[in-house]
């Protein structure tokens, strides 16, 4: 699975002779036990800088100030050089970000040289997002800084292998599934996309190109469609929105006010449009929609303006546009309501969210200051376009976060929307290399996309003997809400971290070939740091557990043994190519033949228990009894006899496997 993906070359498109414009897609783009979420989000604030000139001037230049920076550097006064360059960069306009990208990189180096790595990485990120030159060397250096914080997501196939192996474990809740199509009631054979929900999540409005127009019915007519929920799960067959919303032109990309009586949407190539697509508004009065009205020249441009979304207070409208004067091929812009009720002149959202590439389909959460959008220019990317979220903290947008591989695949994901309670997500996705194959999907919102997943959990797993970091896969299960959390590999230093929901209960599973699975339950109360230790498995030596002690002369499994035997069963479930050998031993007292039989019965009892617990095939475990023929030490005392009364377990690796499983269904532990 790709980690950091950034295109090495910019693609520029010549927009000539491409026919009717689309309201959804520029012609350059491919078309908790859930409680109600209330209260405030308190995400961790990052070192993201602020640029006050972004919407005031196009380009800032002051040669005198730059000479002062150079002078401080020649004197090796790094703190002074940093402060002078920091003040200069904070005055950047939009054009500076692609014309003066080396200054961003130089400022990052100065922050690093003067001991502030967090600020340094913030400027390195900006340089990577906006440089239009070969970035390979820059990327490699930034990756080296981020090694301790990189999210090493487990590939989706491996994730579901883990799920399949652990279905028999009581504390584990298998996921509810991803990539669940919304079905034939919503989707058609044509592109369907751009979902929007009413406040109760009972009505869905979306865009579709299923209708054809023209004398030969060869041109797609993009319209808005509506469906209402039939009961609690299924949706009724979608029907076109009535006139005057739909018209002979292309309409799409809608959003609704909370009361459901105001509709914002895009209309394209119409007589009143300033550009090829403009934003319009219509109100529901007296049982019908009013004639759509343009948001005007302050909002709409001579280019493509589409995909509107409202802030929770409905006083700010965010949208996508490819107008001149932005950072990349398309940006996220916004407008806000003035005191007279009119919309202000549109402004750019800035260089943290927008990149030299394309940012589209913004969606603002209806309760919280969280903006979701689709991008192909951010630093962590699983495919072409991925969906990200960014928090607004004290008026400043934070570094966007990829919402993870349970949503973002190798194709493209757009038009993300969720209900107010953050239970389900709705979005459009296309398969890899099939950019026109857009369908609508819906499934339970995973943890990475949850707006309230802002409480940080981090930890480190070390070998208890030599204190070296362990390798393995970390999985988190939300036992309160059944929310999926994408599994991650332990980093090379044994560390891991997750952002989870405050106040919920979780089970953490850490699995590996090198040790028995670790299962830890915890209730999340504030940011949490865990230090975990475990013992490596030495496959050359037998495992002997002190609590495997039978009643005298009997072979019944005692309750005190079950926790240990369950661990062994889980290990075999998680490692389907491993086998197990069980050997029973007695002390020297009693009849030797009877001791052999007793030890055999005990080994058999353990074998049957483990097979039943893990639902294992019979040929994976072998058992035998050796009686008193292989004592560990002479029986001088009762303690010596107790040492000789034992059960030995040997885990048998597949042949030729130095540390990674092989064969069908095996898990790659990295």
């Amino acid at each position: 699975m790709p980690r950091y993906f950034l295109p090495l070359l910019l693609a520029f498109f010549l927009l000539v002779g491409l026919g009717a414009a689309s309201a959804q897609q520029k012609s350059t783009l491919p078309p908790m036990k859930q409680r109600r979420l209330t209260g405030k989000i308190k995400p961790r604030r990052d070192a993201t800088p602020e640029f006050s000139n972004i919407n005031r001037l196009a380009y800032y230049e002051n040669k005198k100030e730059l000479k002062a920076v150079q002078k401080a550097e020649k004197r090796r006064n790094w703190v002074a050089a940093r402060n002078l360059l920091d003040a200069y960069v904070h005055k950047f306009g939009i054009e500076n970000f692609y014309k003066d990208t080396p200054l961003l990189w130089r400022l990052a180096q100065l922050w690093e040289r003067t001991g502030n790595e967090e600020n340094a990485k913030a400027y390195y990120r900006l340089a990577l997002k906006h440089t239009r030159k070969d970035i390979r060397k820059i990327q490699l250096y930034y990756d080296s800084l981020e090694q301790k914080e990189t999210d090493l997501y487990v590939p989706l196939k491996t994730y579901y292998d883990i799920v399949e192996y652990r279905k028999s474990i009581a504390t584990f809740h298998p996921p509810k599934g991803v990539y669940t199509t919304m079905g034939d009631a919503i989707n058609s054979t044509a592109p369907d996309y751009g979902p929007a929900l009413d406040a109760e999540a009972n009505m869905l409005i979306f865009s579709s190109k299923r209708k054809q127009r023209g004398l030969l019915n060869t041109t797609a007519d993009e319209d808005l469609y509506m469906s209402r929920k039939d009961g609690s799960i299924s949706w009724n067959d979608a029907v076109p929105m009535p006139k005057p919303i739909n018209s002979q032109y292309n309409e799409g990309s809608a959003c609704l006010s909370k009361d459901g009586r105001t509709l914002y949407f895009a209309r394209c190539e119409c007589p009143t449009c300033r550009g090829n697509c403009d934003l319009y508004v219509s109100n529901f009065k007296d049982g019908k929609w009013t004639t759509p009205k343009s948001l005007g020249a302050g909002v709409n441009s001579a280019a493509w303006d589409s995909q509107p979304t409202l802030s929770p207070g409905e006083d700010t409208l965010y949208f996508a546009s490819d107008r001149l004067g932005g950072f990349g091929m398309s940006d996220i812009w916004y407008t806000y309501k003035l005191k007279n009720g009119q919309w202000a002149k549109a402004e750019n959202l800035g260089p943290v969210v927008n990149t030299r590439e394309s940012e589209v389909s913004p969606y603002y959460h209806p309760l919280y200051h969280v903006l979701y959008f689709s991008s192909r220019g951010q630093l962590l990317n699983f495919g072409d376009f991925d969906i990200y979220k960014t928090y607004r903290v004290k008026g400043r947008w934070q570094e966007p976060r990829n919402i993870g591989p349970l949503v973002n695949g190798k194709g493209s994901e757009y038009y993300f929307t969720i209900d107010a309670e953050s239970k389900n997500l709705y979005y459009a996705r296309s398969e890899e290399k099939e950019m026109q194959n857009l369908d609508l999907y819906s499934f339970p919102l995973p943890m990475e996309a949850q707006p309230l997943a802002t409480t940080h959990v981090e930890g480190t797993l070390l070998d208890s003997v030599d204190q070296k970091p362990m390798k393995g896969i970390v999985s988190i299960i939300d036992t309160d809400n059944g929310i999926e959390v994408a599994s991650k590999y332990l980093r090379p230093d044994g560390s891991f971290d997750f952002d989870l929901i405050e106040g919920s209960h979780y089970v953490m599973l850490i699995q590996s070939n090198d040790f028995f699975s670790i299962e830890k339950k915890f209730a999340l109360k504030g940011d949490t740091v865990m230090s975990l230790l475990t013992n490596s498995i030495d496959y050359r030596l037998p495992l002997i557990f002190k609590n495997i002690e039978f009643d005298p002369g009997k072979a019944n499994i005692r309750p005190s043994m079950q926790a240990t035997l369950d661990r062994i069963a889980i290990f075999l479930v998680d490692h389907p190519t491993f086998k197990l050998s069980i050997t029973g031993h007695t002390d020297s007292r009693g009849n030797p033949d009877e001791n052999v039989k007793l030890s055999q019965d005990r080994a058999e009892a353990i074998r049957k228990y483990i097979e039943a617990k893990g639902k294992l095939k019979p040929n994976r475990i072998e058992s035998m009894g050796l009686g008193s023929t292989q004592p560990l030490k002479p029986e001088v005392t009762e303690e010596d006899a107790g040492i000789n009364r034992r059960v030995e377990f040997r885990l048998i690796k597949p042949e030729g496997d130095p540390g990674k499983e092989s064969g069908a269904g095996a898990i790659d532990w990295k």
Side-chain angles (χ1 to χ4, degrees), residues 255-321:
C255 72
L256 279 165
S257 60
K258 289 180 182 178
D259 62 8
R261 303 185 70 83
T262 303
L263 182 76
Y264 297 89
F265 65 98
R267 175 171 284 175
C268 298
E269 299 216 336
C270 64
T272 57
C273 291
R274 296 191 72 246
N276 61 350
C277 290
D278 278 10
L279 296 175
Y280 283 76
V281 62
S282 176
N283 297 298
F284 194 74
K285 293 181 179 179
D286 301 323
K288 60 182 181 180
W289 292 99
T290 60
T291 300
K293 182 180 179 182
S294 171
L295 294 191
V299 176
N300 293 313
S301 69
W304 172 84
D305 303 295
S306 185
Q307 303 169 344
T309 182
L310 279 169
S311 66
E314 300 187 353
D315 56 355
T316 307
L317 189 76
Y318 298 82
F319 61 96
S321 177

Side-chain angles (χ1 to χ4, degrees), residues 470 512-516 535-539 541 543 571 651:
M470 305 296 286
S512 174
N513 283 355
D514 300 329
F515 51 84
F516 282 110
N535 293 324
S536 297
I537 296 174
D538 189 337
Y539 295 100
L541 301 174
L543 302 168
F571 185 91
L651 289 166

Side-chain angles (χ1 to χ4, degrees), residues 216 263 350 358 371 406 428 436 538:
L216 300 177
L263 182 76
S358 294
L371 180 70
L406 297 183
Q436 302 298 323
D538 189 337

Side-chain angles (χ1 to χ4, degrees), residues 359-570:
E359 280 68 46
V360 293
S361 60
Y363 171 73
Y364 211 123
H365 193 280
L367 293 182
Y368 306 113
H369 291 298
V370 187
L371 180 70
Y372 300 85
F373 63 97
S374 186
S375 172
R376 68 191 326 179
Q378 303 297 325
L379 302 189
L380 173 60
N381 202 309
F382 295 101
D384 187 15
F385 278 86
D386 276 8
I387 295 170
Y388 299 80
K389 67 177 180 180
T390 178
Y391 291 88
R392 192 178 183 193
V393 181
K394 296 184 178 180
R396 184 180 302 179
W397 291 106
Q398 306 296 287
E399 179 65 20
R401 308 177 191 180
N402 191 299
I403 63 172
L406 297 183
V407 175
N408 293 317
K410 293 182 179 180
S412 293
E413 288 75 31
Y414 309 97
Y415 313 111
F416 179 94
T417 189
I418 59 179
D419 56 37
E421 293 187 344
S422 303
K423 286 184 178 181
N424 297 300
L425 66 86
Y426 304 82
Y427 75 128
R429 65 180 294 269
S430 69
E431 299 296 337
E432 188 178 12
K433 298 180 181 179
E434 295 181 20
M435 303 308 296
Q436 302 298 323
N437 185 29
L438 284 173
D439 273 342
L440 287 171
Y441 290 77
S442 174
F443 56 90
L445 195 68
M447 187 64 70
E448 288 77 11
Q450 289 282 340
L452 290 183
T454 59
T455 301
H456 197 62
V457 174
E458 63 181 69
T460 305
L461 180 63
L462 303 176
D463 190 300
S464 60
V465 177
D466 58 16
Q467 300 297 301
K468 291 184 178 179
M470 305 296 286
K471 296 180 179 179
I473 290 175
V474 187
S475 303
I476 301 284
I477 296 94
D478 183 324
T479 57
D480 287 344
N481 308 307
I483 297 173
E484 285 190 76
V485 188
S487 298
K488 299 177 184 178
Y489 292 107
L490 290 167
R491 300 188 186 100
D493 63 356
S495 67
F496 61 89
D497 63 40
F498 293 86
D499 287 327
L500 305 175
I501 298 175
E502 171 84 14
S504 294
H505 293 78
Y506 298 92
V507 173
M508 180 176 66
L509 305 167
I510 308 181
Q511 303 157 271
S512 174
N513 283 355
D514 300 329
F515 51 84
F516 282 110
S517 299
I518 296 170
E519 184 170 323
K520 180 179 177 62
K521 297 180 181 180
F522 62 97
L524 191 57
K525 298 179 180 179
D527 292 346
T528 303
V529 178
M530 300 178 180
S531 296
L532 304 171
L533 298 173
T534 190
N535 293 324
S536 297
I537 296 174
D538 189 337
Y539 295 100
R540 299 166 298 178
L541 301 174
L543 302 168
I544 303 173
F545 300 98
K546 292 182 179 180
N547 63 335
I548 304 296
E549 184 70 32
F550 287 88
D551 292 328
K554 295 183 179 181
N556 297 327
I557 301 294
R558 298 170 61 184
S560 60
M561 304 178 189
Q562 292 178 359
T564 298
L565 298 182
D566 290 351
R567 291 177 64 201
I568 298 173
I570 291 170

Side-chain angles (χ1 to χ4, degrees), residues 600-614:
Q600 179 68 47
D601 291 343
R602 289 173 171 176
E604 277 287 296
I606 291 174
R607 178 185 65 79
K608 291 177 180 177
Y609 179 91
I610 294 175
E611 285 181 348
K613 183 69 178 180

